[in-house]
Amino acid sequence: MPVLSPSSQRPVVILVETQLGENIGMCARAMLNCGLEELRLVTPRDGWPSASARATAADADRVLEGARVFANIDEAVADCDRVFAATARQRSLRIPGLDLPQAVAELRAGPVAADGGAKAGILFGPEASGLDNETLSRADRLVHFATNPEFPSLNLAQAVLLFGWEWRQQCCQASAEAVTPTQPRAHSDGSLANREEVQVLLNRLEQALAHSDFFPSPEQRPHTVRALRALMTRGNLSSEEVGLLHGVLTALSKNETD
Amino acid sequence: MPVLSPSSQRPVVILVETQLGENIGMCARAMLNCGLEELRLVTPRDGWPSASARATAADADRVLEGARVFANIDEAVADCDRVFAATARQRSLRIPGLDLPQAVAELRAGPVAADGGAKAGILFGPEASGLDNETLSRADRLVHFATNPEFPSLNLAQAVLLFGWEWRQQCCQASAEAVTPTQPRAHSDGSLANREEVQVLLNRLEQALAHSDFFPSPEQRPHTVRALRALMTRGNLSSEEVGLLHGVLTALSKNETD
């Protein structure tokens, strides 16, 4: 029997603003079919816990019972070293897009923290609309599912299943080949900054920019912040680099506290 | 766009004694997501056509409308050159069993009839019990899904999806191998900034930092600038983003020209 990664290294499935409890239940079942157990929910529309989720989970109760609910996306990904986002559409955020097999290969390749606890999360959006740009800008990678272009739209639990299945297949294959693939790291030293570190930096930059009247109008502000976030996220900053950028910000913003 | 086999060579999905119309609708959607269109039904419990199938098919109407209903399994597979059967359990029938990827590879390998019309069908059983031995005995191959052994049972439409997905992946891969592999692009739009644009930005940042007494010593300056350059280079900035960062720098460095 192939040995999967320790549970601490298995990706976390994060369902954002899911509308139907039934779909959450089906996602839990699909996850457990593939050996994924950690589920997070960002403001599920019909509340939590959910009787309809339990009804469709087909005994994947431990996934539902372990699910954690978050008030917003930033809290949900705060401890994640990497965040991937499932989306059907190409967006204009300039975040690298990968096909599902590539995405899983990249997820599996690491980085792994010194304690083996590096966390990766994958976001799935609401049934009707998918993830919006605001949420996608938190992602390191967009994950595309190469479905039939004439009929591309996957049911939520189907998308979760394909992700889990691909992850499981690659783990089993690797285990069968008894090979540990190693991918070149984004940086040769320094641990990857987690989401919270990047967010703190971004918040500080946003404040400094607001203080300097950088935003021409309140309407443009979210768009600009998203662009900056996408840019920082794409760079796979290390904690050391985040520290460097704080230093830069301090140096440049001497008028910040004027 | 990868070219799939002609529809006459795509496998036929045969649902045997399905209990719920909802599940038939979800199977139709999953099939069309993967480019499979030919659906057959053997004595669906709740009759046919089915309003609940239509409700869950999410516009995969043409699969439902083209579905043919059969009174027994022999009629359903009468024109099939090969019959595969999806089953979770190992049976005692001494029919060769294959994992899903192997099964799809074998399906794709032929044989193809002289008129190109060789037909392969794959059977999926009722939700609660799966295919019985009587039906399995019609199969050339049993297809096993390598799910989590602690929680193996797939929802019917999930199993159909995984079959269709694997089939589509293998077809696309075969088609893509005839093409020069392309590296995932860092971004889908926006032109990449060239080295000179990045260098100008970096020079300006370095000047601003020097002006703000950022560098603790002249010796450390090259090291820090290298770190900043690496960070910017890794981000694959677009020209637009370089412009944005110039704007940020201007806003933050109001004391730059003091």
Side-chain angles (χ1 to χ4, degrees):
Chain A
M1 185 56 52
V3 179
L4 299 180
S5 332
S7 61
S8 63
Q9 288 171 31
R10 297 182 199 172
V12 179
V13 171
I14 305 169
L15 303 181
V16 182
E17 293 173 11
T18 308
Q19 297 170 291
L20 297 171
E22 288 89 330
N23 284 335
I24 299 176
M26 293 182 74
C27 287
R29 177 178 181 177
M31 286 172 61
L32 199 52
N33 281 149
C34 301
L36 298 181
E37 301 196 11
E38 190 170 348
L39 175 63
R40 297 182 182 185
L41 306 171
V42 179
T43 57
R45 188 191 65 184
D46 293 344
W48 194 258
S50 158
S52 49
R54 189 168 292 268
T56 56
D59 299 322
D61 293 335
R62 69 171 187 261
V63 174
L64 296 182
E65 282 158 15
R68 294 168 60 197
V69 181
F70 295 85
N72 60 59
I73 184 72
D74 287 320
E75 291 176 21
V77 301
D79 65 344
C80 291
D81 302 277
R82 281 168 311 150
V83 177
F84 284 42
T87 179
R89 283 161 281 184
Q90 301 285 344
R91 306 288 182 142
S92 54
L93 289 169
R94 305 189 60 256
I95 301 169
L98 299 171
D99 277 343
L100 178 60
Q102 298 172 312
V104 169
E106 204 174 300
L107 268 180
R108 294 190 60 253
V112 177
D115 61 355
K119 232 183 217 327
I122 178 160
L123 307 170
F124 293 87
E127 294 90 330
S129 55
L131 294 166
D132 61 21
N133 277 2
E134 181 62 24
T135 305
L136 287 177
S137 72
R138 267 82 177 172
D140 300 298
R141 296 286 184 273
L142 304 185
V143 184
H144 302 301
F145 293 74
T147 45
N148 177 3
E150 291 174 18
F151 193 79
S153 172
L154 288 165
N155 163 279
L156 176 60
Q158 304 278 49
V160 169
L161 174 73
L162 290 181
F163 171 75
W165 179 257
E166 181 65 31
W167 183 82
R168 185 173 182 83
Q169 293 297 108
Q170 289 196 20
C171 289
C172 291
Q173 197 172 10
S175 153
E177 287 167 4
V179 168
T180 324
T182 50
Q183 196 77 357
R185 282 286 309 278
H187 3 265
S188 53
D189 61 354
S191 64
L192 212 59
N194 67 27
R195 264 336 123 105
E196 201 173 356
E197 290 173 76
V198 175
Q199 188 61 45
V200 167
L201 175 65
L202 190 67
N203 289 346
R204 202 184 142 205
L205 177 59
E206 185 178 353
Q207 291 305 317
L209 290 173
H211 185 82
S212 305
D213 300 322
F214 175 73
F215 302 109
S217 70
E219 293 73 36
Q220 288 203 333
R221 182 167 169 167
H223 174 78
T224 306
V225 171
R226 271 200 301 273
L228 289 168
R229 185 189 295 114
L231 192 162
M232 283 192 193
T233 304
R234 205 169 62 227
N236 279 332
L237 301 178
S238 70
S239 297
E240 200 178 312
E241 287 171 325
V242 169
L244 173 62
L245 291 175
H246 273 294
V248 168
L249 202 48
T250 302
L252 295 180
S253 311
K254 287 196 168 157
N255 57 351
E256 189 179 8
T257 52
D258 285 355
Chain B
M1 185 55 52
V3 179
L4 299 179
S5 331
S7 61
S8 62
Q9 290 171 29
R10 298 183 199 171
V12 178
V13 171
I14 305 168
L15 303 182
V16 181
E17 294 173 10
T18 309
Q19 297 169 290
L20 296 171
E22 288 89 328
N23 284 335
I24 298 176
M26 294 181 73
C27 287
R29 178 179 182 178
M31 287 172 61
L32 199 51
N33 283 149
C34 301
L36 299 182
E37 302 195 12
E38 191 171 348
L39 175 63
R40 299 182 181 183
L41 306 172
V42 178
T43 58
R45 187 192 67 184
D46 292 343
W48 196 257
S50 157
S52 50
R54 189 167 293 268
T56 56
D59 298 323
D61 294 334
R62 69 170 186 262
V63 174
L64 296 182
E65 283 158 14
R68 294 167 61 196
V69 182
F70 294 85
N72 60 59
I73 186 72
D74 289 320
E75 291 177 21
V77 300
D79 64 346
C80 293
D81 302 277
R82 283 168 308 151
V83 176
F84 285 42
T87 179
R89 283 161 281 185
Q90 302 285 345
R91 307 286 181 144
S92 54
L93 291 167
R94 306 188 64 256
I95 300 169
L98 299 170
D99 275 344
L100 179 59
Q102 299 171 312
V104 169
E106 203 174 302
L107 267 181
R108 293 189 61 252
V112 177
D115 62 355
K119 235 186 216 325
I122 178 161
L123 307 170
F124 293 88
E127 295 90 330
S129 55
L131 293 165
D132 60 21
N133 277 3
E134 180 62 24
T135 305
L136 287 176
S137 70
R138 266 83 176 173
D140 301 298
R141 297 284 183 274
L142 304 185
V143 184
H144 302 301
F145 292 74
T147 46
N148 178 2
E150 291 175 17
F151 193 79
S153 172
L154 288 166
N155 162 280
L156 176 61
Q158 304 278 50
V160 169
L161 176 73
L162 291 181
F163 170 75
W165 178 258
E166 181 65 31
W167 182 81
R168 185 174 182 82
Q169 292 297 106
Q170 290 196 20
C171 289
C172 290
Q173 198 172 12
S175 150
E177 276 165 9
V179 176
T180 317
T182 51
Q183 199 70 5
R185 280 291 306 280
H187 8 261
S188 51
D189 63 356
S191 66
L192 212 59
N194 65 29
R195 277 316 136 112
E196 195 177 356
E197 289 173 79
V198 174
Q199 191 58 49
V200 168
L201 175 65
L202 192 65
N203 290 347
R204 203 184 143 204
L205 177 60
E206 186 178 351
Q207 291 306 318
L209 290 173
H211 183 84
S212 303
D213 299 323
F214 176 72
F215 302 110
S217 71
E219 293 73 35
Q220 288 204 331
R221 183 166 166 167
H223 174 78
T224 306
V225 171
R226 270 201 303 276
L228 288 169
R229 185 187 295 111
L231 193 162
M232 283 191 194
T233 304
R234 205 169 61 230
N236 281 333
L237 301 180
S238 70
S239 297
E240 201 178 311
E241 287 172 327
V242 169
L244 173 64
L245 292 174
H246 273 293
V248 167
L249 201 48
T250 302
L252 294 180
S253 309
K254 287 196 169 160
N255 58 349
E256 189 177 6
T257 53
D258 284 355

